[in-house]
């Protein structure tokens, strides 16, 4: 279902993320230029929405959604495979698109918003990074698939080693893409798609089942760790603000200088 709906998924992930980014960024820039995000003293917030760079950076960051709860509910109620593939594929690819957008906007800088022609390098860089990430994922996957094909008889009796190779190839794809300045997430996604078609046929059925269970368990653990870290970081920042507000001047300075 994912490959059959790939065109629609790309339309939602790429076109939808770009549209959301520029819509949110444009609204924030218009409201920020009107002075809605300034304090009484005239100072701007950490993100100065009076500048188009910060406005569109925030738009790129907020446009990537992660429907973990939605996918969990859809999986438990047995939603149609096409609907599940659309939501899952869009949620994975829009993260990569958003990260690429953030990097490009940071490289362009504030001066690039003074004239429409200044966006051309950003558009070219977006195409290069996207195609480069796909190329890196494809090259690593093709090389590793040929290697597993040559070793398939030996790997039939070494399920743990075969499972370790699947993880290693995916990690190599991510690192290689990041090393050449591309998107590691997009390259990793391409590697995962190709591994599910060309790598698992070279390992034993027991290793195939173990890989599916191990990957699901690792995904749940990573998601739980990320959400727990975000929650703890929020509590820690709120607690630090309360300590700074209640402490006397001398102790407040000491708290601010502490690691």
């Amino acid at each position: 279902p994912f490959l059959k709906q790939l065109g629609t998924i790309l339309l939602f992930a790429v076109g939808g993320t770009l549209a959301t980014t520029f819509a949110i960024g444009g609204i924030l820039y218009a409201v920020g230029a009107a002075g809605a995000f300034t304090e009484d003293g005239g100072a701007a917030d950490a993100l100065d929405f009076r500048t188009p760079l910060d406005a569109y950076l925030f738009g790129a960051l907020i446009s990537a959604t992660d429907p973990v709860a939605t996918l969990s509910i859809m999986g438990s109620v047995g939603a149609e495979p096409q609907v599940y593939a659309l939501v899952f594929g869009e949620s994975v690819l829009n993260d990569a698109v958003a990260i690429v957008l953030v990097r490009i906007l940071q490289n362009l800088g504030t001066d690039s918003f003074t004239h429409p022609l200044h966006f051309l390098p950003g558009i070219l860089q977006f195409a290069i990074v996207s195609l480069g990430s796909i190329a890196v994922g494809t090259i690593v996957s093709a090389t590793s698939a040929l290697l597993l094909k040559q070793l398939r008889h030996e790997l039939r009796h070494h399920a743990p080693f075969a499972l370790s190779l699947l993880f290693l190839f995916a990690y190599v794809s991510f690192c290689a893409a990041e090393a050449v300045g591309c998107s590691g997430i997009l390259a990793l996604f391409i590697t995962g798609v190709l591994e599910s078609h060309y790598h698992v046929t070279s390992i034993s059925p027991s290793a195939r089942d173990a890989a599916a269970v191990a990957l699901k368990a690792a995904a749940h653990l990573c998601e739980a760790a990320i959400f727990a870290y975000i929650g703890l970081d929020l509590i820690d920042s709120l607690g630090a603000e309360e300590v700074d507000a209640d402490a006397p001047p001398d102790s407040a300075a000491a708290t601010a200088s502490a690691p």
Side-chain angles (χ1 to χ4, degrees):
F2 175 83
L3 294 177
K4 290 181 180 179
Q5 303 293 331
L6 185 58
T8 307
I9 291 173
L10 290 176
L11 177 63
F12 287 150
V14 180
T17 304
L18 288 172
T20 306
T21 297
F22 287 100
I24 295 177
I27 293 173
L28 287 176
Y29 176 57
V31 177
F37 295 105
T38 55
E39 300 175 356
D40 294 336
D45 292 332
L47 285 174
D48 188 2
F49 292 132
R50 294 173 300 180
T51 62
L53 177 61
D54 285 358
Y56 288 112
L57 275 175
F58 184 82
L61 289 172
I62 207 67
S63 62
T65 56
D66 190 14
V68 176
T70 304
L71 291 175
S72 300
I73 295 174
M74 291 173 64
S76 62
V77 300
E80 293 184 3
Q82 289 184 349
V83 178
Y84 189 91
L86 285 173
V87 177
F88 168 76
E90 192 275 339
S91 66
V92 172
L93 288 179
N94 72 358
D95 290 340
V97 175
I99 291 175
V100 172
L101 278 176
V102 170
R103 290 181 178 177
I104 291 174
L105 289 172
Q106 288 177 334
N107 292 334
L108 290 178
T110 307
D111 297 336
S112 299
F113 293 88
T114 57
H115 195 276
L117 291 178
H118 293 170
F119 285 101
L120 292 179
I123 297 174
L124 180 61
Q125 185 179 358
F126 180 83
I128 292 175
V129 169
S130 301
L131 296 177
S133 302
I134 295 173
V136 170
T138 303
I139 293 173
V140 173
S141 300
T143 305
S144 56
L146 290 174
L147 178 62
L148 285 181
K149 186 178 181 180
Q150 297 298 323
L151 301 175
R152 62 182 182 275
H153 298 295
E154 292 80 1
L155 294 177
R156 295 283 179 178
H157 307 287
H158 299 85
F161 182 65
L163 181 59
S164 301
L165 285 178
L166 291 180
F167 280 97
L168 181 61
F169 293 145
Y171 185 63
V172 168
S173 176
F174 180 87
C175 294
E178 291 290 331
V180 297
C182 295
S183 173
I185 292 181
L186 183 56
L188 181 61
F189 178 77
I190 298 299
T191 302
V193 172
L194 295 179
E195 278 191 355
S196 66
H197 285 272
Y198 300 107
H199 291 62
V200 295
T201 56
S202 300
I203 61 179
S204 63
S206 59
R208 199 176 307 159
D209 296 337
V213 175
L215 287 172
K216 278 190 175 181
H220 284 296
L221 288 174
C222 290
E223 289 173 356
I226 290 173
F227 287 123
Y229 179 81
I230 293 174
L232 292 174
D233 187 64
L234 177 62
I235 296 174
D236 181 67
S237 61
L238 293 177
E241 290 178 359
E242 292 179 358
V243 170
D244 292 339
D246 297 336
D250 294 339
S251 60
T255 303
S257 61

